[in-house]
């Protein structure tokens, strides 16, 4: 059985999962899988279009539904993958499946702020670097002091993203597939998504103090092992 790790809108591949892709954390014999069965997927296309990524992830898993772990924007593709192709388990970390909670106050406030940024995506007067700066500022975290060419690459990717609230996903997937939702107890909008999914059978765990990247905390790895072990026969 394989496990795939789907990145968010930022880092991709093993760099998005340093605690899981780095020094071995999977105890020998703990699960019916080896280190080579863990796949940390690289970015497939700028914008992470689910219509492109989901079939690619399904091909990576093959006939075995496997375990699916996803962070932030990647949770959208993970939910669609589980809906269309099945999964042994889902683990959604700070899931940005905002279509599920678009009417909740915190999510609604976030959408209002970010929608103004996404409106600039088609504005040729706004450079990719400037788009990245505005995107970062809207999230409350100023852009890092990088050269414009690096910011341009990041901006080109972000402006190609479909707004996360515009991609419809089915929360009932959590009724059929054992689902663990992990949040860092920071941005309330991710808690909004978690509450919708728990209403459909998901388990929600907060790892306080981890911000938007609970996967960098060793407690996340322990949760993964527990979640997978409990459903290794699914």
């Amino acid at each position: 059985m394989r496990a795939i790790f789907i990145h968010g809108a930022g880092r991709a591949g093993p760099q998005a999962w340093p605690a899981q892709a780095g020094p071995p954390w999977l105890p020998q014999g703990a699960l019916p899988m080896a280190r080579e069965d863990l796949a940390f997927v690289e970015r497939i296309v700028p914008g992470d279009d689910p219509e492109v990524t989901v079939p690619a992830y399904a091909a990576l898993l093959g006939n075995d539904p496997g375990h699916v772990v996803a962070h932030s924007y990647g949770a959208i593709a993970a939910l669609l993958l589980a809906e269309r192709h099945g999964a042994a388990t889902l683990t959604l970390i700070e899931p940005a499946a905002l279509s599920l909670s678009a009417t909740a106050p915190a999510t609604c406030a976030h959408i209002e702020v970010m929608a103004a940024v996404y409106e600039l995506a088609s504005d040729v007067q706004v450079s990719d670097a400037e788009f990245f700066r505005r995107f970062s500022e809207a999230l409350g975290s100023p852009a890092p002091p990088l050269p414009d060419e690096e910011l341009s690459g990041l901006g080109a990717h972000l402006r190609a993203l479909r707004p996360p609230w515009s991609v419809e996903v089915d929360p009932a997937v959590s009724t059929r597939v054992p689902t663990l939702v992990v949040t860092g107890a920071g941005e309330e909008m991710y808690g909004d998504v978690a509450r919708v999914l728990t209403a459909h059978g998901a388990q929600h765990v907060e790892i306080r103090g981890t911000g938007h990247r609970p996967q960098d905390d060793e407690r996340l790895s322990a949760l993964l092992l527990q979640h997978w072990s409990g459903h290794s026969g699914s």
Side-chain angles (χ1 to χ4, degrees):
M1 180 177 289
R2 301 202 77 186
I4 64 169
F5 291 73
I6 302 174
H7 55 78
R11 287 175 275 175
Q15 290 185 334
W17 307 91
Q20 290 75 43
W25 58 272
L26 189 64
Q28 184 67 32
L31 291 171
M33 64 174 68
R35 287 287 297 179
E36 55 267 28
D37 293 320
L38 306 181
F40 302 90
V41 297
E42 298 285 356
R43 175 150 287 116
I44 295 170
V45 61
D48 296 327
D49 182 355
E51 297 309 314
V52 177
T53 61
V54 170
Y57 299 153
L60 184 61
L61 285 174
N63 295 326
D64 187 342
H67 301 289
V68 179
V69 184
H71 176 232
S72 195
Y73 195 89
I76 296 171
L79 284 161
L80 292 172
L81 176 65
E83 178 185 356
R84 299 174 184 178
H85 303 280
T89 67
L90 278 175
T91 302
L92 308 176
I93 303 166
E94 293 270 290
L98 302 183
S99 66
L100 295 178
S101 58
T103 60
T107 302
C108 190
H110 173 78
I111 290 173
E112 184 177 356
V113 171
M114 296 306 297
V117 178
Y118 275 103
E119 286 179 359
L120 300 174
S122 59
D123 187 343
V124 296
Q125 301 299 317
V126 177
S127 69
D128 288 339
E130 179 61 20
F131 184 83
F132 181 80
R133 292 189 183 95
R134 296 196 188 193
F135 193 100
S136 299
E137 289 168 2
L139 289 176
S141 56
L146 297 172
D148 268 10
E149 56 267 26
E150 291 187 44
L151 294 181
S152 292
L154 296 169
H157 167 64
L158 290 175
R159 76 193 306 169
L161 287 174
R162 292 171 62 185
W165 57 87
S166 72
V167 186
E168 296 293 329
V169 293
D170 182 4
V173 169
S174 294
T175 304
R176 304 186 296 271
V177 177
T179 302
L180 170 66
V181 182
V182 182
T183 59
E187 294 287 349
E188 184 59 27
M189 60 189 174
Y190 301 117
D192 289 342
V193 176
R195 280 185 283 277
V196 174
L197 292 172
T198 55
H200 289 268
Q203 176 190 5
H204 178 207
V205 176
E206 290 184 345
I207 305 182
R208 294 184 175 273
T210 56
H212 190 47
R213 289 188 55 82
Q215 64 264 47
D216 294 339
D217 190 288
E218 63 181 13
R219 287 173 289 179
L220 188 279
S221 294
L223 281 172
L224 275 179
L225 289 177
Q226 182 180 12
H227 186 49
W228 291 351
S229 296
H231 304 284
S232 59
S234 298

